[in-house]
Every structure is written in structure tokens, then in C-alpha cells.
Amino acid sequence: MARIHIPRIAPSEITPESVWRSRREWLRQMGMGAVALGAASVPGLPRAATQEKPALPATPNPQYWLSEKPTPETDVTGYNNFYEFGTGKADPRDRSGRFQTRPWTVAVEGEVAKPRSFDIDDLLKLAPMEERIYRLRCVEAWSMVIPWTGYSLSVLLNRVQPTSKAKFVEFTTATQPESMPGLRSRILDWPYVEGLRIDEAMHPLTMLVFGVYGKVLPNQNGAPLRVAIPWKYGFKSGKSIVRIRLLEEAPQTSWVKAAPNEYGFFANVNPEVDHPRWSQATERRIGTSFLAPRVETLMFNGYGEQVAALYQGMDLSRYY
Ligand SMILES: Nc1nc2c(c(=O)[nH]1)N[C@H]1C(S)=C(S)[C@@H](COP(=O)(O)O)O[C@H]1N2
Ligand SMILES: [Mo]
């Protein structure tokens, strides 16, 4: 079922990656990157949209790779959900230019032996940076294929030594009223809070993300750090995280609070369990032609081989 290529990776399967990367390098060398097409030469274009982020070097991890072609970078950074900046898909790109990502600390606390605060620049050095290509399936039935840069969240959690009472992990994300116009809307109860069961959080697929497309995360994608949990609907992957709390009880999460009949705590991608207002059986791949056929949604977003065991014996239509 999974179309993920595990260790025995053939050089030919890496080709798509080298193709898009070399094209990017080529564009950069030719001076045709976003910097060359910057705000000065395109009057009226918002600053954030054209800002080229610094490179974030990483080693490709063949264990977490897809042969599918990544979604074009302009879509990955231009078609986003980040309601703190507005509900339009271009709002996060167009309205996040004033968001402050330094100084930035992440408090890791709760049911841990060694609670502490991490500076973002220390988190960048905590483990070797890996590049992984993950599918992202939004609950709104669109999807992308994204090359993220980061490392497994378990690296960070192990540093603080979870106690035996740590059964859940809560992620609290930033609120900057001066730079987040969306906070004025009551669509969610801010801050945006998400959560995982501890075994989900410790799973090696669960990634702490600092970059995308080989560069530091742009604000609209959750700078300076977010999580990526590829077998769950996108809303589980909180952006711009400021606190990680280990808990004995399940945390109250923003979308479950807003509409518990529509959004569950687990939110595992499941083509057989529809959202009350639409089917989850298929998805639209962003960045492909509108004439392109819809893609069939895969159980656990195609990551079943790695994660199905976490849910053995659970009724997934009840625990949606
Ligand atoms: N803080 C915060 N995190 C968030 C959201 C949000 O509105 N606020 N949206 C979520 C949703 S619904 C999705 S699909 C993904 C989108 O991530 P991307 O824009 O980087 O593709 O981010 C998730 N993380
Ligand atoms: Mo989403």
C-alpha cells in the first residue's frame, strides 16, 4: 500500500529529487531566483512573497522519501492554511511579513524529569538536519508533496526525559497580535493548540521541521519551527510552536473545541471515514492542472506500514 521507498533505495529513485534540486540551483545561479525577481522589480508584490530564505543544509534521508514529484515551491509557500494570518490561502504568504521569529524559545515541560526552555538556535543544532519528502493531506481534501528539513521530534522529547505519566503531548503555537491579523477573528480559540498521544509523538515519522525546499521555513509555513505528522490531516501539524507540554490526560485541541463532530483528536487520514460535509475518499493535488484527475486518498495517507500498529484494535470511525 505504502508508496514510500524504504532503505534499499535505487539511485534511479533519487532522480526526481536531483532534478528539482539542480533546477533550483540552476535558477539561483542564473539569477532567476526570487531574489532577482524581488519586490523592487515587481512593484506592489508583498515583501514576504518574494523573500528568499537562507539555505538550511540537510542530508536526504532515503528512509523517508517518495518517488512522487514534489509540489512546486511556489504552491508550498503560497497556498497555505495558517488562520492566524487569515483564512484565505494566500493570506499567510501575503500577510506574515511582520511576524517575528527571533528571539524564539520553546518551553518543553509537564510530565518530564528535566523541563527546560530551548533557544531556537540550539534546537537547530540538537540533531543532524535531514531532508524528508512527506505527503501532506489537508482535511479540506487537497494535498501536497513537500520536502521538509528537520529531525524526529523524539530527539527533543528524549532530552527532557518523559515520566511514566506522560501519555499525551500538547503543542501550543505563537500569538503575536501585532503581526497576526487573523487573531482578531473568532474562528478559533487562540492560541492554536494541537496534540498527539505519546506513542504518536515518539514515532520516528513525526518530524520537527525547521525548513522546506532546502531553505529556512518561511513564516507562512510555520517559522521558525513546526511539526509534520504525515499520516494525519494537516491541521494536526501545528506551526510556529512556542510550548510543548507532556500530559497525563489528552489536551483540549483547537479544532476539536471548535467543532467536535467534524474534527477528532486522532485525525488519521482515512478515505473510509468522511467528514460530515464532504467525502475524504479522494484529494486534489495542489500544483497540478485542474484537468488532472483527483488522487485516491490512501489509508494513513500511505504510511500504514509504519503506523497502522499504533491503532490496532481501535474503531477508527469512532476515534476519528
Ligand atoms: N498555528 C497554526 N498551525 C497550523 C494551522 C493554523 O491555522 N495555525 N493550519 C493547519 C492546517 S489546516 C494545515 S493543512 C497545515 C498546512 O501547512 P502548510 O501551509 O505548511 O502546507 O498547517 C496546520 N498548522
Ligand atoms: Mo488542513
Side-chain angles (χ1 to χ4, degrees), residues 75-76 79-86 89 92 136-140 142 144 146 148 173-174 180 188 190-194 217 220-222 226-227 233-241 255:
D75 293 310
V76 171
Y79 188 97
N80 302 96
N81 273 342
F82 201 161
Y83 280 12
E84 289 88 330
F85 295 107
K89 300 301 179 200
L136 182 145
R137 171 57 158 80
C138 180
V139 73
E140 298 165 298
W142 50 262
M144 296 195 192
I146 306 181
W148 296 122
T173 74
M180 290 177 147
L188 289 173
W190 314 109
Y192 191 101
V193 171
E194 258 309 331
L217 278 177
Q220 61 267 34
N221 292 90
R226 52 92 59 83
V227 284
Y233 292 119
F235 71 86
K236 294 299 291 181
S237 297
K239 292 175 167 178
S240 306
I241 293 166
W255 281 106

Side-chain angles (χ1 to χ4, degrees), residues 296-317:
E296 273 188 41
T297 291
L298 302 171
M299 187 64 202
F300 296 116
N301 206 21
Y303 297 89
E305 278 175 30
Q306 290 100 313
V307 302
L310 299 175
Y311 309 103
Q312 214 133 50
M314 275 175 64
D315 176 356
L316 296 179
S317 60

Side-chain angles (χ1 to χ4, degrees), residues 16-83:
E17 188 265 341
S18 55
V19 167
W20 63 255
R21 187 186 303 283
S22 61
R23 185 172 164 275
R24 189 174 76 216
E25 295 305 331
W26 179 80
L27 283 171
R28 196 178 284 159
Q29 278 162 23
M30 297 300 286
M32 293 169 76
V35 168
L37 301 170
S41 60
V42 189
L45 251 194
R47 202 172 97 88
T50 52
Q51 216 171 35
E52 183 82 346
K53 290 291 170 187
L56 184 58
T59 308
N61 185 335
Q63 245 192 300
Y64 307 111
W65 215 255
L66 301 171
S67 55
E68 292 159 80
K69 195 164 155 261
T71 302
E73 186 174 359
T74 48
D75 293 310
V76 171
T77 61
Y79 188 97
N80 302 96
N81 273 342
F82 201 161
Y83 280 12

